[in-house]
């Protein structure tokens, strides 16, 4: 068990925790909370003090294309370049060539 201690921990689903910690075992997050609480909960754990860092546990994929999410299952599965061609054709059919031209070289 390892406790990562940071000035601020930013959990994905709760408020920021000042003087926070994340307890990990292997590749699994076991607990997130105030440093003193985790220190008491896991007294035998090693500790890594990250000092003034902000720690963001878990994976946050901030690269999204929400404007394309409604197309899931509507375009044939293919490699990326071919898929872009399908997307372009779909947009041309549904929005007309004027709208597609307005998008320029984005797609």
């Amino acid at each position: 068990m390892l406790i990562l201690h940071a000035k601020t921990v930013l959990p994905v689903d709760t408020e920021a925790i000042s003087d926070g910690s994340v307890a990990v075992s292997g590749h699994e997050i076991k607990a997130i909370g105030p440093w003193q609480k985790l220190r008491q909960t896991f007294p035998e754990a090693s500790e890594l003090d990250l000092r003034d860092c902000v720690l963001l546990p878990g994976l946050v994929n901030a690269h999204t294309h929400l404007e394309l999410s409604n197309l899931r299952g509507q375009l044939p599965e293919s490699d990326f370049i071919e898929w872009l061609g399908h997307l372009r054709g779909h947009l041309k059919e549904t929005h007309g060539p004027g709208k597609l031209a307005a998008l320029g070289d984005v797609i």
Side-chain angles (χ1 to χ4, degrees), residues 64-99:
T64 62
H65 291 275
L66 293 176
E67 73 280 8
L68 301 176
S69 60
N70 65 322
L71 297 177
R72 181 171 285 132
Q74 294 185 36
L75 300 176
E77 289 195 26
S78 55
D79 67 47
F80 183 66
I81 299 300
E82 190 176 330
W83 181 84
L84 285 176
H86 293 299
L87 175 61
R88 189 176 180 88
H90 174 80
L91 292 175
K92 213 181 254 189
E93 287 174 24
T94 57
H95 299 295
K99 178 73 168 185

Side-chain angles (χ1 to χ4, degrees), residues 22-45:
V22 177
V24 296
S25 179
H27 295 287
E28 188 176 336
I29 296 173
K30 295 293 187 179
I32 301 170
W35 175 76
Q36 289 196 13
K37 181 178 178 185
L38 266 62
R39 189 77 254 163
Q40 290 171 350
T41 304
F42 306 104
E44 303 298 318

Side-chain angles (χ1 to χ4, degrees), residues 50-66:
L50 302 172
R51 303 186 193 277
D52 289 334
C53 289
V54 175
L55 184 59
L56 179 67
L59 172 66
V60 175
N61 180 2
H63 180 185
T64 62
H65 291 275
L66 293 176

